[in-house]
Amino acid sequence: MTGALIILAVTALTGLVLWLTHKPGEPAETTDASTHDDSTGDEECCGLHAVCEKQVAGVTAQLYYDDEELDRFAGHDPSTYTPEEIEEFREVLYTLIPSDVYPWGASLTRRNISLPLQLRDEWIMLSQES
């Protein structure tokens, strides 16, 4: 009987300590450095894409894409692209390897280049597949 009371007391004490230290609403702490990256502190999601919160390794690094011809579209309204201009974007999009699709779109955003409205859904689908 004494042994049962000791086990009960230890269990109750452990439960009390856990209850006092539990902070509801806060995410559990992890020791895995790959799940938390503070290097993106000044970058914010544009809010226009379903995959903005997707974690892709290397997105924050300055990646080079052979698409400098698209730099002339910086600040361009995405609804006013001509069919030829849309094809330029499509050609680059469909020549990327799957793991580069999302970082390429993020690179365009950092460079203030908007994807044509017609290609946004295609980019989102391809980003989710990688």
Side-chain angles (χ1 to χ4, degrees):
M1 181 75 178
T2 306
L5 289 175
I6 293 173
I7 292 173
L8 179 63
V10 168
T11 303
L13 183 61
T14 303
L16 180 64
V17 169
L18 290 174
W19 179 75
L20 290 173
T21 59
H22 177 72
K23 297 176 184 162
E26 289 186 13
E29 291 185 29
T30 62
T31 57
D32 183 10
S34 67
T35 61
H36 191 308
D37 183 12
D38 287 333
S39 65
T40 61
D42 61 339
E43 290 186 31
E44 292 184 21
C45 179
C46 63
L48 297 176
H49 305 6
V51 291
C52 281
E53 297 174 5
K54 182 177 180 179
Q55 297 295 321
V56 178
V59 170
T60 59
Q62 290 293 356
L63 298 176
Y64 174 76
Y65 298 98
D66 190 17
D67 66 348
E68 57 273 344
E69 71 274 5
L70 300 178
D71 287 338
R72 73 181 190 275
F73 298 117
H76 198 275
D77 180 12
S79 63
T80 60
Y81 287 113
T82 66
E84 294 79 22
E85 293 169 338
I86 293 169
E87 281 307 309
E88 285 184 60
F89 280 93
R90 183 173 277 121
E91 182 179 335
V92 175
L93 176 63
Y94 283 98
T95 57
L96 294 168
I97 60 174
S99 62
D100 280 348
V101 172
Y102 180 79
W104 175 73
S107 169
L108 290 178
T109 301
R110 281 194 303 274
R111 292 162 33 205
N112 195 30
I113 302 171
S114 298
L115 272 174
L117 296 176
Q118 298 87 335
L119 287 182
R120 285 187 182 168
D121 289 339
E122 295 174 43
W123 175 75
I124 289 171
M125 284 187 336
L126 291 170
S127 295
Q128 291 173 343
E129 291 174 4
S130 61

